[in-house]
Amino acid sequence: MNKKIINDEIAIAYEAIIENKIVDGQGQVQKTFRGQITSFGASIIMGSLLPAIAFFYDSEKSTVDRKKVLDAVYYILQARQKIGQDEKNLFEYAKKHQEESKEEILNASIALKLAINLFKLI
């Protein structure tokens, strides 16, 4: 975890929440998204990166579309120019750069968790 990087990414995370339609038209976010973002970071720390990402691509058993969390993290990394042109989603990026991508993804998910507090949670 790098506090400076997280601080720099909060504004990008705010944009990612809007661009990935985590927020609705009234500027509200379902509280369960905060829980999903938190559990994504925890599952990376407690388990491993690729299984955590693969699990979050399956949203059928969730009350919210967890893929939006992955898309928001991808958006942050893309804005920071960490994603290559051939890496079309977060899984492809993580698979190609497993060691260095873990911290980058964790930093982005923490920035996302902090930025979500800027919206009204319902």
Side-chain angles (χ1 to χ4, degrees), residues 10-25:
I10 291 175
I12 302 167
Y14 179 84
E15 294 171 14
I17 292 168
I18 295 168
E19 289 295 319
N20 289 285
K21 296 180 178 37
I22 293 173
V23 63
D24 67 15

Side-chain angles (χ1 to χ4, degrees), residues 13-14 26 29-31 42 47 57 60 62 69 73 77 84 116 122:
Y14 179 84
Q26 287 79 37
V29 174
Q30 290 179 310
K31 286 182 185 178
Y57 271 109
E60 288 184 21
S62 177
V69 173
V73 170
L77 296 175
I116 209 160
I122 56 170

